[in-house]
Amino acid sequence: MKRIVSFVMAAGMALSLAACGGAASGSASTSTSAPAASSAAAADGGEILIGCLQDITGNTSGLGLSVQKGAQAAVDEINANGGINGKKIVMNTYDTKGDVTEAVNSYITAVTVDQVSLIVGPPVANIANAIKETSEGYDVPVVGLAMDPACQTKSEGVPYKNMFALQPSATTQGDIMAAFAIKNGYKTFGILYNQENAYSVSLLDPFVNRLAEDNITVDSSMIVAYGAADTDYKTLLLPLVNANVDAIYCPNYTQQLVAIETAATELGYKGKIITGLDGAPGFNTTYGGDCSNIYYINNINTEDETIAAKIAEIQNDVSAPNKYFLGYDIVMAAADCIGKVGTDYTALHDALENLSYEGVTGKITIDPTTHMPTGMSMYMYTYDNQTPVMLEQFAG
């Protein structure tokens, strides 16, 4: 947590999206890039140009905007302290609009037209999966948060050369959530997941496999898959509720989780609902009701005084605080690498593959064989009504 003090004390830390060409949360936005002069200045060595590829509009804009704001806060802090070896960072933002085609086009614009040295990548697995093959043809690292291992690793077990993630994988997170459930005495489970969403799918097997290690089997009738066209969550949940399972595992995006929690409550479900990261704030404020039956995993310890103070400072601007801190860490870790080796692709790529960095979200140590962290801590939470309560820290 060494970075927290400088993070909290940084003067003039900008939280608005105007600094990187975006729009305030909730307003319209289009893909943006710096003026041609910025690209020219970067080419001449006057500044370091990076990209930020996020869902700024669309269903997951709350996540993308939060990552972007955290990343911009890090850029502003670095520049306020003299830049990287005297060079200022300029960050261009590209709005994927939650669309895979838009994401690929924006990626190509960033690396060919604007010639960014590095891209702050998305937290959304569907978008990362969309650009991973295209990224193989260019020499620009994408440092993001997509936790589906398939976003970083090919089927033959070698990493996509440019795809990196700076948070624990779905394998790690699913394992932690299952271990927590077992430790707390839950023995019967239902599962509701989105079969059309890479994030949701990636969290299924790790959870089920960890249960199996303790001889807990989830009957196939208790595993319910749905797609984008399925919005009758009461019907989907009914067999799980009727079975009176101890807990329903539900790794889905926030908007869907709100609808699922609403439906479960209306059906009279009395058990627990175990979610992934999207059960973290702002799930509670979006839902608006009592969230005491929700368990969720998180990247940060919100009971740490300095983190809590920063969350209080940004709460009116940032809908997903954990994504804000992750975005901040991406830029800070990348800047640390650039400060040591510069922006030459080979040197920067090697530095990222061997990254060891103490961030706000923990110690980030990249495994060069997976391009994902090892041993990174995470936290299990619940809510007291709508107030987050940290329950336990787990090592990855």
Side-chain angles (χ1 to χ4, degrees):
M1 294 294 177
K2 294 177 182 177
R3 297 293 313 178
I4 298 175
V5 174
S6 63
F7 176 85
V8 175
M9 297 300 292
M13 186 178 294
L15 294 177
S16 74
L17 295 173
C20 54
S25 179
S27 63
S29 174
T30 58
S31 295
T32 59
S33 59
S38 293
S39 295
D44 291 340
E47 59 191 26
I48 297 168
L49 183 62
I50 65 174
C52 187
L53 189 70
Q54 303 294 329
D55 297 356
I56 301 302
T57 57
N59 290 336
T60 53
S61 61
L63 306 181
L65 285 164
S66 297
V67 172
Q68 185 200 40
K69 290 180 180 182
Q72 186 63 47
V75 167
D76 293 340
E77 180 180 334
I78 292 166
N79 288 342
N81 286 283
I84 301 175
N85 298 329
K87 296 181 181 180
K88 301 290 186 181
I89 304 176
V90 172
M91 187 171 79
N92 292 359
T93 293
Y94 307 86
D95 183 7
T96 70
K97 303 176 184 176
D99 179 82
V100 294
T101 301
E102 189 77 29
V104 172
N105 290 339
S106 295
Y107 170 83
I108 292 172
T109 297
V111 300
T112 62
V113 178
D114 295 334
Q115 298 182 13
V116 300
S117 296
L118 176 139
I119 289 178
V120 178
V124 181
N126 281 5
I127 298 300
N129 272 318
I131 66 172
K132 65 186 182 184
E133 298 288 351
T134 303
S135 74
E136 290 283 277
Y138 300 93
D139 289 341
V140 179
V142 179
V143 187
L145 301 168
M147 45 191 270
D148 178 1
C151 295
Q152 278 71 234
T153 308
K154 301 177 183 179
S155 58
E156 59 266 34
V158 298
Y160 289 94
K161 69 173 187 177
N162 290 319
M163 300 297 291
F164 295 86
L166 297 198
Q167 72 165 321
S169 70
T171 302
T172 296
Q173 295 191 33
D175 183 275
I176 288 173
M177 287 185 280
F180 176 81
I182 293 166
K183 185 174 180 179
N184 284 274
Y186 300 111
K187 299 184 181 301
T188 59
F189 296 85
I191 297 174
L192 180 64
Y193 75 103
N194 186 342
Q195 63 186 343
E196 298 175 1
N197 181 272
Y199 159 78
S200 190
V201 172
S202 70
L203 283 166
L204 175 61
D205 284 348
F207 187 86
V208 172
N209 293 342
R210 180 63 182 85
L211 294 182
E213 291 180 15
D214 277 60
N215 298 313
I216 297 175
T217 301
V218 183
D219 188 85
S220 59
S221 65
M222 294 290 100
I223 301 177
V224 179
Y226 72 94
D230 302 313
T231 57
D232 183 359
Y233 295 110
K234 281 188 178 180
T235 298
L236 294 169
L237 284 166
L238 194 58
L240 311 182
V241 173
N242 285 343
N244 196 30
V245 293
D246 294 334
I248 296 174
Y249 181 54
C250 193
N252 297 282
Y253 286 160
T254 302
Q255 290 181 327
Q256 294 168 333
L257 283 177
V258 168
I260 290 166
E261 169 71 348
T262 300
T265 300
E266 291 175 355
L267 287 171
Y269 178 62
K270 301 299 183 184
K272 294 291 186 179
I273 292 181
I274 303 171
T275 79
L277 292 167
D278 292 272
F283 168 84
N284 51 341
T285 54
T286 303
Y287 176 61
D290 187 351
C291 304
S292 301
N293 69 326
I294 297 289
Y295 283 138
Y296 65 93
I297 197 167
N298 205 352
N299 310 91
I300 53 176
N301 178 4
T302 58
E303 296 183 2
D304 179 278
E305 289 183 2
T306 50
I307 290 179
K310 175 52 64 176
I311 291 173
E313 178 185 331
I314 65 176
Q315 62 184 352
N316 293 328
D317 251 350
V318 175
S319 62
N322 64 322
K323 298 296 188 292
Y324 176 95
F325 289 101
L326 289 164
Y328 177 89
D329 269 357
I330 287 175
V331 171
M332 283 297 189
D336 185 65
C337 291
I338 293 170
K340 292 173 181 175
V341 304
T343 57
D344 171 76
Y345 170 73
T346 300
L348 180 56
H349 176 272
D350 290 348
L352 289 168
E353 276 202 330
N354 295 282
L355 176 68
S356 181
Y357 182 80
E358 188 73 36
V360 179
T361 56
K363 180 68 175 290
I364 305 169
T365 303
I366 293 297
D367 180 349
T369 68
T370 64
H371 286 189
M372 302 194 84
T374 59
M376 217 174 161
S377 292
M378 296 202 77
Y379 305 86
M380 287 301 301
Y381 280 77
T382 189
Y383 289 101
D384 179 3
N385 198 325
Q386 287 197 18
T387 301
V389 179
M390 200 270 278
L391 298 172
E392 188 171 356
Q393 178 178 353
F394 283 79

